[in-house]
């Protein structure tokens, strides 16, 4: 009789352990998120086990451009995206009927200028060429960096989110602005020494082996409004799985990991 009871007890224990082991993959709720390879997709990979414990299968789709993450989200093929800053999403919404909604900020990646010709922004020569990408939401960001460095001044009343290089008021060094290169090609332009100063988004800089803090000639100041955000379709912001992802992204262990992983050049923001 004792032997039978022992077997039964072991059976109950086994069932209890199985129940505590979490849901099977097939029972998890799928959450598809589009992201740039670095640092966005890497951050999501770090968060993935936390969400599994919450009953969510986080599936990450990587994009290497700045168009498809938003259009794919609008089309309903993914549930959210994580690749862009606030002004970029605002511009997309303005041009496309306001289909997207910002859930919240995750981190800031500093925009920076890189050069193989100079070591400091003060060394820019008369007539030097400044190279930016075709990504217009970044122009105000670049102009602010140049203004803060004392290289140019801007026209009064300029809205930085909508600024273009035509909004330069004073340009004593007669800098020439080029903006005909796609964002993902800027690191190649840097390697090929195609301009005196090349502004590269941090995610592409990382992919090209550049660290904004260590390798740039000039870098964006702290307190930048260009926070990288998690984005959903309009009306989906408060879905439980989206909110669970947002909460996981703000966990201290994830934020500490972000700072360590990128030597402080990717800075998490609080909830």
């Amino acid at each position: 009789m004792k032997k039978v009871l022992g077997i039964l007890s072991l059976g109950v224990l086994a069932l209890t352990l199985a129940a505590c082991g979490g849901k099977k993959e097939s029972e998890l709720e799928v959450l598809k998120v589009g992201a740039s390879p670095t640092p966005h997709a890497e951050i999501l990979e770090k968060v993935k086990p936390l969400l599994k414990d919450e009953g969510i299968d986080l599936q990450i789709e990587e994009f290497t451009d700045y168009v498809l993450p938003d259009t794919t989200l609008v089309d309903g093929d993914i549930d959210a995206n994580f690749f862009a800053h606030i002004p970029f999403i605002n511009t997309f919404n303005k041009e496309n009927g306001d289909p997207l909604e910002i859930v919240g900020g995750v981190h800031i990646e500093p925009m920076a200028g890189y050069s193989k010709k100079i070591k400091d922004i003060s060394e820019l020569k008369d007539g030097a060429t400044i190279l930016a990408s075709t990504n217009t939401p970044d122009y105000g960001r670049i102009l602010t960096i140049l203004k803060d460095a004392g290289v140019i001044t801007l026209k009064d009343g300029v809205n930085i989110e909508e600024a273009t290089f035509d909004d330069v008021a004073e340009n004593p060094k007669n800098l020439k602005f080029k903006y005909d290169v796609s964002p993902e090609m800027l690191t190649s332009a840097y390697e090929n020494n195609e301009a005196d100063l090349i502004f590269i988004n941090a995610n592409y800089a990382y992919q090209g082996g550049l660290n904004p803090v260590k390798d740039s000639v000039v870098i964006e100041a702290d307190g930048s409004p260009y926070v990288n955000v998690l984005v959903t379709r309009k009306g989906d912001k408060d879905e439980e799985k989206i909110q669970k992802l947002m909460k996981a992204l703000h966990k201290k262990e994830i934020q500490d990991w972000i700072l360590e992983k990128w030597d402080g050049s990717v800075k998490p923001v609080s909830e």
Side-chain angles (χ1 to χ4, degrees):
M1 185 67 177
K2 289 182 179 179
K3 186 174 182 181
V4 172
L5 288 173
I7 293 172
L8 288 172
S9 297
L10 287 173
V12 171
L13 177 61
L15 288 171
T16 302
L17 290 173
C20 294
K23 294 182 179 180
K24 297 178 181 178
E25 290 289 343
S26 60
E27 297 175 335
L28 298 176
E29 183 177 12
V30 172
L31 174 59
K32 295 182 179 180
V33 180
S36 296
T38 184
H40 308 81
E42 292 177 76
I43 294 172
L44 291 174
E45 285 289 351
K46 189 69 177 179
V47 165
K48 197 170 183 175
L50 300 180
L51 286 180
K52 187 175 181 181
D53 291 341
E54 294 280 341
I56 295 172
D57 176 17
L58 177 59
Q59 298 181 4
I60 305 161
E61 184 171 346
E62 293 189 8
F63 295 91
T64 57
D65 73 334
Y66 285 166
V67 177
L68 287 174
D70 280 341
T71 56
T72 304
L73 178 57
V74 171
D75 290 342
D77 295 324
I78 54 177
D79 301 302
N81 70 39
F82 173 39
F83 79 105
H85 53 60
I86 293 171
F88 185 94
I89 298 301
N90 288 344
T91 298
F92 180 87
N93 272 339
K94 185 176 180 180
E95 295 175 351
N96 294 277
D98 205 31
L100 302 180
E101 186 171 16
I102 292 172
V103 182
V106 180
H107 70 271
I108 294 176
E109 302 171 27
M111 170 73 77
Y114 303 82
S115 178
K116 288 182 176 290
K117 298 182 179 182
I118 60 173
K119 298 294 184 182
D120 188 88
I121 189 72
S122 63
E123 298 173 11
L124 276 176
K125 296 180 180 179
D126 188 85
T129 300
I130 309 296
L131 180 61
S133 77
T134 53
N135 187 40
T136 55
D138 283 334
Y139 296 168
R141 194 177 188 183
I142 293 168
L143 290 169
T144 299
I145 296 171
L146 293 173
K147 176 180 71 68
D148 290 346
V151 177
I152 62 168
T153 64
L154 297 176
K155 296 175 182 177
D156 292 338
V158 171
N159 180 346
I160 289 300
E161 284 196 16
E162 299 177 355
T164 71
F165 295 106
D166 291 332
D167 290 311
V168 173
E170 296 178 2
N171 182 11
K173 290 195 174 185
N174 300 303
L175 301 176
K176 298 173 183 175
F177 297 99
K178 290 180 61 180
Y179 34 93
D180 56 356
V181 178
S182 60
E184 65 271 19
M185 296 304 296
L186 286 170
T187 51
S188 294
Y190 167 76
E191 292 298 334
N192 294 330
N193 204 13
E194 294 180 15
D196 296 279
L197 185 62
I198 301 174
F199 281 93
I200 308 175
N201 295 80
N203 58 313
Y204 289 122
Y206 299 133
Q207 291 177 45
L210 296 170
N211 182 308
V213 172
K214 298 177 180 178
D215 301 319
S216 66
V217 171
V218 63
I219 190 169
E220 192 168 32
D222 287 343
S224 165
Y226 290 83
V227 178
N228 280 235
V229 289
L230 181 68
V231 177
T232 62
R233 286 180 296 279
K234 188 76 75 176
D236 292 348
K237 175 181 177 179
D238 294 325
E239 284 191 4
E240 186 177 8
K241 62 183 179 181
I242 298 295
Q243 288 301 315
K244 284 183 177 180
L245 172 57
M246 199 66 201
K247 185 176 180 180
L249 287 167
H250 285 117
K251 282 185 177 291
K252 187 177 185 301
E253 64 186 277
I254 299 299
Q255 297 199 327
D256 289 347
W257 176 82
I258 290 172
L259 285 170
E260 182 179 355
K261 170 73 174 176
W262 287 282
D263 296 325
S265 61
V266 177
K267 301 176 182 180
V269 298
S270 58
E271 211 165 344

